[in-house]
Amino acid sequence: IGNVLRYEGKLHEALSNYLAALSVFEELHDSSNMTNSLNNVGLVHKENGNSELALKYYKRVLEIRTILDDQRGLQAVRNNIAIVYREQGKRDSALFFFNQNYDYAWSHGIKDAEALALHNAASVYMDDGQWDKAVKGFGDALAIREELKDRWGAASCNQNLSECYYRMGKYREAIPYGEAALKISSEIGADIQT
């Protein structure tokens, strides 16, 4: 119910629902569902613009999932934490968590998570104007997304590569990536803007 309310934009009601569920799961000592509720509470706080409170809940999730050795869950919460840090301008902290996700995904052959971590880290480099690192990250992510036949991901990587080259003043290099992003996005009905 909380997810439906959140997607409808009824954040206050969604938060109440998530907190009620959290209370039940805490009473039952159901750590797995408790982490889902904590994560959802964090998401609502993030969407409400309260990043510090979101981080508080995400860090509780991180602690519990570490104890549970829930690696996929750890990947998700590390990503959420990194996104908050990126939005706060704490680039080194964001990169720390994105790189943890990359290292785990790479060492375990989880290609989709590897591509996501590369893409997200490249976004941080793009924010900082570190164009060479951004281009490498987006390029590496693009290769994986193409291998996985992830067309939306490929369109997004192409769009970001186009933007990097454009900002570098390398307009000829930007054009093919922009065209690829537009072509793929029109084929799959995605809204990728270049």
Side-chain angles (χ1 to χ4, degrees):
I1 296 172
N3 289 340
V4 172
L5 292 167
R6 194 173 114 239
Y7 292 124
E8 289 177 350
K10 299 174 182 174
L11 298 180
H12 182 73
E13 293 172 48
L15 181 59
S16 295
N17 186 278
Y18 292 142
L19 289 170
L22 176 60
S23 179
V24 170
F25 295 132
E26 285 175 333
E27 270 187 45
L28 296 173
H29 303 288
D30 182 346
S31 297
S32 180
N33 281 313
M34 196 167 66
T35 60
N36 292 334
S37 294
L38 287 164
N39 192 66
N40 287 332
V41 170
L43 288 170
V44 170
H45 286 303
K46 181 184 172 297
E47 289 172 16
N48 274 331
N50 192 338
S51 60
E52 287 304 319
L53 202 48
L55 280 173
K56 175 185 165 189
Y57 281 94
Y58 292 153
K59 287 179 180 179
R60 279 190 64 199
V61 174
L62 184 68
E63 290 172 18
I64 296 167
R65 287 184 174 165
T66 299
I67 292 166
L68 296 174
D69 195 30
D70 174 6
Q71 292 300 320
R72 284 302 271 199
L74 280 167
Q75 292 229 299
V77 74
R78 283 191 299 249
N79 195 61
N80 289 345
I81 291 169
I83 289 169
V84 170
Y85 281 137
R86 178 182 174 212
E87 290 172 356
Q88 291 179 333
K90 297 176 181 176
R91 307 289 194 245
D92 290 340
S93 296
L95 286 170
F96 173 79
F97 285 99
F98 287 142
N99 288 333
Q100 277 191 324
N101 275 357
Y102 173 78
D103 291 343
Y104 181 82
W106 181 83
S107 68
H108 289 81
I110 307 169
K111 293 289 197 177
D112 61 327
E114 188 180 338
L116 178 63
L118 286 166
H119 189 114
N120 287 339
S123 296
V124 174
Y125 292 128
M126 189 166 89
D127 292 344
D128 286 344
Q130 295 183 51
W131 305 117
D132 292 337
K133 288 181 178 181
V135 166
K136 171 136 179 48
F138 288 130
D140 291 347
L142 176 61
I144 295 168
R145 292 186 187 277
E146 288 176 339
E147 175 187 336
L148 296 174
K149 299 186 182 359
D150 173 3
R151 295 180 44 80
W152 189 94
S156 181
C157 287
N158 276 301
Q159 186 274 330
N160 283 307
L161 283 163
S162 178
E163 185 172 345
C164 284
Y165 282 118
Y166 179 83
R167 289 185 182 186
M168 293 167 73
K170 297 182 177 182
Y171 305 117
R172 289 185 185 191
E173 286 93 336
I175 291 171
Y177 290 107
E179 289 173 342
L182 286 172
K183 180 179 185 295
I184 295 168
S185 65
S186 69
E187 291 171 358
I188 63 173
D191 185 22
I192 304 289
Q193 309 230 343
T194 60

